Amino acid sequence: KAGVTQTPRYLIKTRGQQVTLSCSPISGHRSVSWYQQTPGQGLQFLFEYFSETQRNKGNFPGRFSGRQFSNSRSEMNVSTLELGDSALYLCASSLDRGDRDTQYFGPGTRLTVL
Amino acid sequence: TQLLEQSPQFLSIQEGENLTVYCNSSSVFSSLQWYRQEPGEGPVLLVTVVTGGEVKKLKRLTFQFGDARKDSSLHITAAQPGDTGLYLCAEPNNNAGNMLTFGGGTRLMVKP
């Protein structure tokens, strides 16, 4: 079974631009979560989508948004990029069977903002 | 949201040595997970501990959950270069879907 795939793997943008990252979950997984990983702040939860609805949201500004499609694929968008948005963006998918469900992470998209 | 503190932040050892990394919180964990992340990859789940005092083994890795469920440790016996990576503890917040709260991580380097 294919794992979680994220595209693109690397991205360079300039301040003020916007960016869209894509995540394809493992087949059959209905929950997709997004995380930001930086050397200073570590891994921080952005948001989670389930059945095309945002189920939970972390403490990030409104410039960060996402959506999920009917096939469970998810995208996240960051508008008006800032230098501090440079990070590894990870998505994770799970079956969402309930308590302590295993999350499977993709390899991430490394975003560099110049 | 509770804070998870991991120590040490960095660890560089020789092949064959033993090591222990720690994950602590001032609050009680509902459960705790340990992940390993290698360069260029996402974190991979190693184990989930649920019950206070629980001990789980995964080959040369031993995971312990404190009796009071406020701390956990990961012990590696006879470390190998393949153990190199970032070790992360995380608490699942099952009251809020699949959200994970991560500790800051321990970056381990095992030299041949």
Side-chain angles (χ1 to χ4, degrees):
Chain A
K1 189 182 252 189
V4 178
T5 58
Q6 292 188 244
T7 56
R9 290 294 307 275
Y10 302 92
L11 207 47
I12 299 175
K13 292 285 188 178
T14 56
R15 279 181 299 173
Q17 288 187 308
Q18 74 163 15
V19 67
T20 299
L21 312 181
S22 180
C23 172
S24 293
I26 292 172
S27 177
H29 286 196
R30 301 189 300 165
S31 166
V32 174
S33 299
W34 288 89
Y35 293 82
Q36 181 196 65
Q37 186 173 28
T38 60
Q41 299 299 318
L43 260 160
Q44 292 185 291
F45 174 80
L46 280 157
F47 29 64
E48 181 204 4
Y49 286 86
F50 177 77
S51 292
E52 302 179 61
T53 301
Q54 187 180 88
R55 183 156 67 176
N56 198 24
K57 189 177 190 302
N59 189 25
F60 279 82
R63 299 185 297 107
F64 292 81
S65 63
R67 58 178 177 169
Q68 186 180 33
F69 302 95
S70 58
N71 62 357
S72 293
R73 190 177 71 85
S74 177
E75 289 181 346
M76 69 162 281
N77 183 276
V78 188
S79 63
T80 320
L81 284 165
E82 301 177 359
L83 295 179
D85 296 333
S86 294
L88 181 67
Y89 290 88
L90 294 158
C91 82
S93 74
S94 70
L95 278 168
D96 198 60
R97 294 168 298 185
D99 202 26
R100 291 184 288 277
D101 198 20
T102 298
Q103 293 198 56
Y104 297 86
F105 284 83
T109 294
R110 181 155 308 273
L111 171 65
T112 301
V113 182
L114 302 176
Chain B
T1 304
Q2 97 171 296
L3 296 175
L4 281 65
E5 294 186 3
Q6 286 190 245
S7 61
Q9 283 186 285
F10 302 96
L11 200 51
S12 179
I13 61 172
Q14 294 294 135
E15 182 176 0
E17 293 183 3
N18 302 331
L19 68 118
T20 303
V21 300
Y22 301 92
C23 178
N24 298 285
S25 172
S26 57
S27 305
V28 174
F29 292 119
S30 56
S31 63
L32 192 78
Q33 296 180 332
W34 284 93
Y35 290 80
R36 178 170 64 212
Q37 183 178 19
E38 298 182 24
E41 301 295 331
V44 174
L45 178 65
L46 297 174
V47 76
T48 300
V49 287
V50 178
T51 306
E54 185 175 5
V55 177
K56 285 192 173 180
K57 292 192 175 183
L58 186 65
K59 297 182 181 178
R60 293 175 294 98
L61 278 61
T62 301
F63 304 86
Q64 286 191 291
F65 203 16
D67 291 340
R69 294 182 13 238
K70 296 172 78 171
D71 59 272
S72 181
S73 64
L74 157 59
H75 182 80
I76 302 179
T77 303
Q80 300 176 0
D83 296 326
T84 293
L86 178 66
Y87 289 83
L88 296 152
C89 65
E91 182 184 24
N93 183 346
N94 296 110
N95 292 326
N98 286 304
M99 172 181 171
L100 292 169
T101 300
F102 283 90
T106 293
R107 192 164 296 281
L108 171 65
M109 175 172 288
V110 182
K111 301 175 186 174

